[in-house]
Amino acid sequence: MSAGKKFIKNIAMLMTGTTIAQAIPIIVSPLLTRIYSPEDFGAFALYLAIASILAVVVTGRYEMAIIIPKKESDAYHLVVLSVVLAAAASLCFFIGIVLFKPGLESIFGWAGDHYWVYWLPLSIFFMATYQSLNYLCNREGRYKQMALSRIFQSSSMTSIHVAGGYLKVGGASLIAGQILGQVSAACIMAYMMFVKVRRRTLRISRVKIRALMIRYSDFPKYLILAHGFNTASAQSPIIFLSAMFGSGSAGFYVLIQRVIGAPMAIVAGAIGDVFRHEASHEYAKNGNCRLIYRSSFFRLLIISVVPFSVFLFFAPELFVLVFGTAWRLSGEYAQILTPMFLLQFLTSPLSTMFMIAQKQKFDLIWQTILFGLVLAAFLIGRHYDEIKVALACLSFFYSAMYAVNGLVSYGLACGKWR
């Protein structure tokens, strides 16, 4: 099979699995928006935002090095290292929550009894573990396992969301469903990778783990901050919206992410996973992966034209039609944010070039500036006391930074700055 056909086959396999996985919650969204309030969605979004930010840092980003070593045993040791670090950090977070919960509520402006903060360490650990196993799957080209785990996660999560809604449990069932989905995905991935697949017995060496920690020390040195800023930039709108404009506004925003961000992430994520696998081999062999980068970018560009045009012109009417009149504001916000989502779709899947070329310092600088601009957008919006001003600034700043990201990552794919 030619490289081009293999690339397309791998993309198709991942897209099939991730399409099903993402389609499940999207299909039930019109139902969920009628049984949960924007405030329920806002509380759930806040929980997920905090968990996502913390899950990025607990592994030291060593899981992203799993695709690099030539030796299979080195990759396994990096998986173990990532999971152990995640477990230790999650335990520390739990202790911190128990000791300092009142102070945390004061800092973040949480009102009432936020019982869900005690669940955060569990989510953090299983999110980090799943990511580590996902990179191992990616390294070995096991795209079928990656797709199946995503379907399993999505279906178990959505089942709890629907059941909890009809039982009138409230926002707690949204959080419980998310946790069940994360646990299920991590467990099914581990089963498929280490039980169903026959592997030679591997003895874990502390000496080798320490050696790998030193060899790939640039990952925690630069990527904890870089990807921490990246995730914080992506999730901070929810935190800032909840704090400055109320949990309902965060609920409107999270529906936009589900309707626009999630479907586009299906395609972008699949192309990005395969690009990372193919480009890392090509770059190691030839010192550049320009052709793979170009073909991936043009696939993304062709796919993006129609859906983003529809959202740009008809989002409010579509949201009212599908989700009900209570969610019209989500459609209005979606129009403002469409340029941001378009540039994100085109550039984010290819931004792994920073890791492939081991230019983590470039990524750190970019992420730091981006986070500062996101904060500036909401400070401007708060100054005018207008949420649409904040979102317009957010869309503009993000779009500009994604354009810069694309130019730099293409330069790296061409072999510059080696």
Side-chain angles (χ1 to χ4, degrees), residues 218-237:
D218 277 356
F219 282 78
K221 188 183 300 181
Y222 298 115
L223 295 189
I224 286 180
L225 281 176
H227 291 181
F229 278 130
N230 180 38
T231 308
S233 299
Q235 300 297 336
S236 58

Side-chain angles (χ1 to χ4, degrees), residues 12 26 32 39 49 83 102 114 130 144 170 174 219 225 227 236 247 286 321 354 362 367 381 400:
I26 292 170
L32 296 180
E39 288 72 22
V83 173
H114 279 78
Y130 176 79
K144 181 178 179 180
L174 292 173
F219 282 78
L225 281 176
H227 291 181
S236 58
S247 60
N286 299 320
L321 178 65
F354 289 104
F362 286 8
Q367 301 290 0

Side-chain angles (χ1 to χ4, degrees), residues 154-176:
S154 180
S155 57
S156 56
M157 177 188 71
T158 305
S159 298
I160 299 298
H161 286 177
V162 174
Y166 279 108
L167 293 174
K168 307 296 183 182
V169 178
S173 58
L174 292 173
I175 296 172

Side-chain angles (χ1 to χ4, degrees), residues 18 78 127 130 211 215 273 278 289 297 301 310 337 345 356 376 382 390:
T18 51
L78 286 168
M127 288 171 74
Y130 176 79
R215 185 191 306 175
D273 284 335
E278 301 291 336
C289 52
F297 177 81
L301 183 61
V310 171
L337 297 170
F345 177 76
I356 294 172
R382 186 176 184 179

